[in-house]
Amino acid sequence: MAGQDGVIALRDVPAALGLLTRLPVSVDGDWATARGARSAWAYPLAGLAVGACLVLVVTAASWLGLPAGLSAALALGAGTVMTGALHEDGLADSVDGLWGGWTQARRLEIMKDSRIGTYGVLALIFVVLASWLAVAELVQAAPLWALVALPVASRAVMPALMRLPPARPGGVSATVGQPPVAAVWMAAALGAGALLPLGWDGLAAGIVILAVALGIRSLALRKIGGQTGDILGAAQQLTQLAGWLTLVALA
């Protein structure tokens, strides 16, 4: 559909790429602002771009004769540069706030603070290290499509979590709004479609991703009463890792 009120608009794709990556795409700012959360259906397509980057780097590294571990490290590093560590930042802030504060107000205050604490540092170390080991294993034991499918599927859960009430009434999430149900289902379809080529292993990864996303949803509601951009970033990182670990376990 061409109008701003349609479920799908092609201009949502560059808007999603401009928001979730550092790719030099041309974004109509007025359009993106007016669309708000309705463009969230395209978030998995930003994951497609990230996944393609991972595969490109792994392929080039393998062609140069580099070992799987180094290929995985270079690929993940390139992916982080491509996204500007957006989701990693959300993970660190979320863990700092959810585990570092005793009240909802204090947790949100910690999450808004640009400084990183011990919980956030340890979370980043764990997730980055586990992702590196998982990708190194998948490079040798699974189709390279696994490096694309999980960046797509992990971003497919973000629109569903955006349906939660914003934890900060005046925050960015409140300004962007909630995506329509149709956008949530479209994103979910893109995520499921990315996992489909992996067969039964992809189905298992999808189930694990759903379980982790539901766990994050429950935790966010209980700890801060809703969602923030940091929670969305944490969800992307943790569901992606959970999917990769599932594929490693089944390889």
Side-chain angles (χ1 to χ4, degrees):
M1 298 182 184
Q4 288 184 349
D5 294 328
V7 175
I8 298 175
L10 290 180
R11 280 190 281 182
D12 290 339
V13 178
L17 289 170
L19 177 65
L20 300 183
T21 76
R22 295 294 181 88
L23 291 175
V25 296
S26 177
V27 178
D28 186 333
D30 292 337
W31 167 272
T33 300
R35 284 284 287 175
R38 283 171 290 183
S39 65
W41 71 269
Y43 289 0
L45 298 181
L48 181 64
V50 174
C53 173
L54 298 184
V55 170
L56 180 63
V57 173
V58 165
T59 301
S62 299
W63 182 77
L64 292 172
L66 298 179
L70 189 52
S71 297
L74 291 173
L76 290 173
T80 301
V81 170
M82 187 175 182
T83 62
L86 177 67
H87 305 304
E88 289 85 354
D89 180 69
L91 171 68
D93 287 343
S94 294
V95 175
D96 272 338
L98 296 180
W99 270 268
W102 292 100
T103 66
Q104 177 175 324
R106 178 57 180 154
R107 290 168 187 142
L108 288 170
E109 182 183 355
I110 293 172
M111 290 170 69
K112 191 175 182 180
D113 193 331
S114 60
R115 293 170 296 181
I116 185 171
T118 303
Y119 286 130
V121 170
L122 291 175
L124 285 175
I125 291 173
F126 169 77
V127 170
V128 171
L129 178 60
S131 296
W132 169 55
L133 293 173
V135 171
E137 186 67 25
L138 291 172
V139 167
Q140 303 176 83
L144 284 181
W145 182 253
L147 304 186
V148 177
L150 272 302
V152 174
S154 60
R155 285 165 178 81
V157 307
M158 295 169 68
L161 292 175
M162 289 172 69
R163 293 283 298 177
L164 294 175
R168 294 190 188 92
V172 176
S173 294
T175 303
V176 172
Q178 294 177 321
V181 173
V184 173
W185 281 111
M186 174 60 71
L190 291 171
L195 293 171
L196 189 61
L198 299 176
W200 292 109
D201 289 357
L203 175 62
I207 293 172
V208 171
I209 286 171
L210 179 60
V212 172
L214 289 174
I216 293 171
R217 178 186 187 277
S218 176
L219 183 65
L221 281 173
R222 181 164 56 87
K223 292 276 193 176
I224 59 174
Q227 54 86 16
T228 67
D230 288 332
I231 293 294
L232 300 181
Q236 188 281 319
Q237 284 287 288
L238 294 176
T239 55
Q240 177 176 266
L241 174 59
W244 275 334
L245 292 178
T246 302
L247 295 180
V248 171
L250 295 174

